[in-house]
Each structure stands twice: as structure tokens, then as C-alpha cells.
Amino acid sequence: MNRIPMERKVLSENDRIAAELRAIYERNGTLCVNFISAPGSGKTALLERTLAGFDAGRRVAVLTGDIQTDNDARRLARYGFPVRQISTGGTCHLDARMVQRGLEGWPLESLDILFVENVGNLVCPTSYDLGEKARVVVLSVTEGEDKPLKYPATFYRADLMVLNKIDLLPYVPFDAGLAHDNARRVNPQIEIVNVSCTTGEGFDAWYRWLEAQRVPVGAGG
Amino acid sequence: MHEMGIANSVLDAVRHESEIRQGARVLKVGVRVGELAAVDPESLRFCFEALVSGSDLEPLVLDLEYCPRRNRCRHCGEIFPATEFPFTCPQCNSEETVLAGGDELEFAYMEIEET
């Protein structure tokens, strides 16, 4: 028997496509952000409020993934920016090929920001690089403070944690400080913003973070 | 729940390896799965066996190596199993440690039939 050592990732095909996407984004100066959370944490609400705060001329688009329905795309399309739904038909995460197909025919050179809303799931989307520049994990105060400890892989790979629904803090036994500590234990580099998509609290910090991730047009290419 | 896709990626790589070796049969594939890979080893094994069973790849065997999370101390360089938060260095008690392993999802080796 002949044993051949290998040093290759199992998802190397996904990673190859993700690298292609990343090169395209960089060439076009498009900031791609991948949103991951459990179902119901408020990814779509965060995107709705974010789009609502942009000027009409803002060069922004959204790809939103779900197992079934185009409900999210319809919700997000009301703000006048290009939106496409990726229906995975049962698959619990987006992969780079789905994003590549979802982008077909879209003029990326005319986009400054591309938001990719992953399927609601704190486990599987973690393994799949979509070519994004930044990964955002959304946690809401109606969940447990220990989610970062229960799902360390997701929080470890995120650049930013958005703690959502903070307008509900007076009504739920959720310790925001403990949630922050738990996220930083798993990932000392993680940045954190607290927001409410109902009141708009914290959106200044969220927009500031977003702008700080922007690649200047023409850079990298 | 995404282990079926990952099992498929393993089999694609096995087929590719066989192709570039003029159809040589792959008997065993070694895969490292890290604690932070978000992959359940048992589920991956189940999916792998379901896909191989009755296919042209039989009797291909999956050798899974589970890799626990390890951290490296920024002060003394010690690499240690990171089991409980906070990850404190057992050598010098520093809490300034960084991930040194445990996010693997990669091939270790393939065993090819001698021809």
C-alpha cells in the first residue's frame, strides 16, 4: 500500500471560488459582509434598518439566503436597492458557489457594499468562506449570554458581534456585559456593537464600523 | 447538518486523486477535523459511508482524526490543550494566548492500491 501525505483543505473547491470572489470584490472596491446568526436574531431587521438609513444613491445590494421562500428578499426590496434571494432548497448554509451564481449578471463595479445574509444557523455557515471581507455574527438579547461559548467556531471567526434587540433589555434577564465577555473569551479580537433595529440606538456605531471596513475604490487591483 | 456536502467534497477529492493516477484505487482517506471546524465527526462518518456504499469507490475507508483546540502562549510559546475558558497558559499563567490549532478540516493522507 502506498500512503500519500496531503496538505489540502477538504473544502478547497469552495475556498477556490471564494478566493475568486474576493479578488473580484477587491478589484471593484466592493465591501462584502457575511451575516451569520441563529434564526430570529434579526439579521433581516438589521439589514432593513441599515438600508433605510442609506441615501437613495448609495451603491449597495443584498443577497439573502434561506432554505425556502423569498420573504426576506421582498422585505428588503422595499428600500429601493437591488436585492436577490438565494433559495438553498434544504441546504443549511450558503457556499461560495451559490453566491457566485447569485451574483451572475450583477455589475459589481457599481457596488460599494454587498451584504450577504446567510441562512439562519449558527453552525454550518461557519465552515464556508464566501469571499467576504468581514464576517458579522448577530446575537440578540432574547437568546442566552452563553451562545458564544456554545458556538465558539462561529464567534471565533467573526470580526464583529452585533448585539441586537437592546430595546428589550429592560424586559428580559439578559446580561449584556456577560455576553460581551463571553464573545471576547472565544475571540479576543472581536469588535462589538449594541443595536436596536426598533429604536435605531447604536446605529451610529454600526455605520461607523461598516465605513471603516470599506476598501477604497481602486485599491488592491 | 452540512456533513453530507463535506462527505461529498471528500469523495470528489478521492476521485480526482484516482484520476490523476491513471485510475489507481484509493483504499483509505485520512481527514483531520478540528473542534472548531463546526463538523460533527460521527455525522460525517455516517454520510461518508452512505455515499460510498454501493458506489464505485467501495471499499474506501475514512480515517478521521479529531483535533482538539490548542492555544499558544504569547509570552513563553507553550502550546497547550485549550479546554476551558479562559485559556490560561499552564507554564506561565499568562492569559494572552492565541489559537494554535483545532480549526482543521483538511486531508491528512490517502492510501493508494499498489499497481
Side-chain angles (χ1 to χ4, degrees), chain A residues 1-11 92-93 123-124 126-128 149 152-153 156-157 185-186, chain B residues 1-2 6 9-10 17 21 27 32 36-38 69 85 99 103 105-112 114:
Chain A
M1 197 131 50
N2 188 9
R3 180 180 281 217
I4 305 152
M6 309 202 109
E7 293 299 331
R8 182 146 48 97
K9 303 243 191 231
V10 170
L11 295 175
C92 51
H93 59 270
V123 184
C124 312
T126 303
S127 307
Y128 293 85
L149 305 182
Y156 168 69
R157 287 188 179 81
R185 278 181 185 175
V186 177
Chain B
M1 291 292 286
H2 61 315
I6 291 173
S9 298
V10 172
E17 205 59 37
R21 289 169 196 282
L27 300 172
R32 293 190 199 101
L36 288 172
R69 178 173 184 164
F85 302 108
L99 189 82
D103 59 349
L105 183 55
E106 61 194 24
F107 293 101
Y109 66 87
M110 286 190 202
E111 280 183 4
I112 316 271
E114 304 273 10

Side-chain angles (χ1 to χ4, degrees), chain B residues 53-108:
Chain B
S53 169
S55 81
D56 56 321
L57 294 172
E58 268 189 324
L60 180 67
V61 172
L62 176 65
D63 175 19
L64 276 182
E65 183 191 345
Y66 186 71
C67 307
R69 178 173 184 164
R70 284 97 65 206
N71 270 33
R72 183 169 43 78
C73 176
R74 279 195 161 148
H75 284 266
C76 72
E78 173 82 1
I79 292 177
F80 58 96
T83 45
E84 270 185 52
F85 302 108
F87 301 135
T88 310
C89 174
Q91 278 298 321
C92 71
N93 283 325
S94 168
E95 285 193 14
E96 270 188 62
T97 69
V98 289
L99 189 82
D103 59 349
E104 301 85 352
L105 183 55
E106 61 194 24
F107 293 101

